[in-house]
Amino acid sequence: MKKLLLVFAALLGTVSLVCNAQAAGVITVGASPTPHAEILAEAAKLLKPQGYELKIVEYSDYVQPNVALDSKELDANYFQHKPYLDDFNAQKGTRLGSMGPVHYEPFGIYAGKSKSLKDLKNGALVAVPNDATNEGRALLLMQDEGLVKLKKDAGLTATRRDIVENPKKLKIEEIEAAQLVRSLPDVDIAIVNGNYAILGGLKVADALAVEAADSMAAATYANILAIRAGDEKRPELQALYKALTSPEVAAFMKKKYAGAVLPSVK
């Protein structure tokens, strides 16, 4: 009887080890549906032969993925850039970190009533995002295209008040980022973020101008794989980040999104 109990205990231990191994092979990641969840699904193909199963949980807002990561419901999330994460940590007292950048979504200038930047008339109406971060990016792109000149130290936090030269007296209208594509019939041009361009059916190839790959904004606002601070050396998260920044996933981004989503790691 004693021997039978010992054998039974050993079997239970073996089953427990197998279950733990299986659980250890599951990586649960929160993501925005487009393009993040789609990119993760592609990365999952590279993780499967390594013994990892990727469970993707989609979120429609920018708060719950970080709350879920902090409470250990997720192993990682993929939807945000580092400045947003830093601000979230400061506001919520969380300790979330980054495995590194994965991709960026370049801003583009899209035609509304005016079909080229050269055709912009004096007093033309220009729609830009109304949130501080994205408005700064839009104005920097306008400056790169010679449409306005900003204060020397304005940088990514620039607003309309930082415009020091506006030779065509362009009228800058601040609009909620999600509504910019809809505004195109009513404005001369609009400056739209990559993800909203995708959702609105716009193609970066048709943009009148696009943020440069080596721009300040592209480096600063790359979307990251976020984790809890201290988890950087977890092998499954290192494997996930390696898959997300692989040549295979980079090729998928370029083909799938036609320039609206570009890999950060070349």
Side-chain angles (χ1 to χ4, degrees):
M1 183 68 180
K2 190 174 181 180
K3 287 182 178 179
L4 285 172
L5 288 172
L6 288 172
V7 170
F8 184 65
L11 287 171
L12 282 177
T14 302
V15 171
S16 177
L17 286 172
V18 170
C19 290
N20 287 336
Q22 288 175 340
V26 177
I27 310 170
T28 305
V29 185
S32 298
T34 303
H36 306 82
E38 297 166 349
I39 295 170
L40 284 167
E42 193 67 18
K45 298 175 185 177
L46 301 177
L47 291 168
K48 191 172 183 179
Q50 302 176 52
Y52 295 117
E53 176 191 343
L54 195 59
K55 180 181 177 183
I56 304 167
V57 182
E58 295 187 5
Y59 293 87
S60 59
D61 74 293
Y62 287 175
V63 175
Q64 290 308 309
N66 279 340
V67 173
L69 178 58
D70 183 59
S71 64
K72 299 186 178 181
E73 296 173 45
L74 302 173
D75 295 303
N77 69 43
Y78 174 39
F79 74 95
Q80 65 193 317
H81 50 58
K82 189 66 164 51
Y84 179 86
L85 178 65
D86 291 342
D87 184 65
F88 188 92
N89 281 332
Q91 295 292 329
K92 306 294 185 181
T94 48
R95 293 185 65 250
L96 304 179
S98 168
M99 288 295 287
V102 178
H103 81 267
Y104 70 98
E105 299 165 10
F107 269 39
I109 301 179
Y110 292 90
K113 295 177 180 178
S114 297
K115 302 308 176 186
S116 76
L117 297 182
K118 292 179 180 179
D119 291 340
L120 280 177
K121 297 178 181 178
N122 288 345
L125 186 58
V126 180
V128 301
N130 65 355
D131 58 286
T133 297
N134 287 324
E135 181 176 3
R137 288 181 70 177
L139 293 174
L140 283 172
L141 180 53
M142 289 180 67
Q143 178 171 252
D144 289 343
E145 295 303 312
L147 299 176
V148 297
K149 185 175 180 180
L150 303 171
K151 291 178 183 176
K152 190 175 182 180
D153 59 348
L156 289 165
T157 60
T159 68
R160 292 182 296 184
R161 293 186 293 274
D162 293 305
I163 297 174
V164 292
E165 291 183 23
N166 184 0
K168 290 193 173 183
K169 295 182 171 48
L170 302 173
K171 297 176 182 176
I172 313 294
E173 183 171 346
E174 298 166 333
I175 296 176
E176 185 181 350
Q179 303 301 319
L180 285 166
V181 175
R182 291 184 184 180
S183 77
L184 282 170
D186 303 314
V187 300
D188 288 280
I189 56 173
I191 305 176
V192 187
N193 186 292
N195 63 318
Y196 288 122
I198 295 170
L199 291 172
L202 299 176
K203 295 181 180 179
V204 171
D206 296 330
L208 305 180
V210 179
E211 261 177 352
D214 59 353
S215 68
M216 185 193 313
T220 304
Y221 294 107
N223 284 213
I224 60 171
L225 179 65
I227 56 169
R228 287 181 295 277
D231 281 356
E232 294 84 358
K233 293 185 178 180
R234 282 174 56 181
E236 68 272 30
L237 296 181
Q238 291 182 342
L240 172 58
Y241 184 66
K242 184 176 181 180
L244 284 170
T245 54
S246 66
E248 293 89 344
V249 172
F252 167 80
M253 289 185 202
K254 291 174 182 176
K255 182 178 180 180
K256 170 80 174 177
Y257 304 109
V261 176
L262 294 170
S264 294
V265 180
K266 302 297 186 288

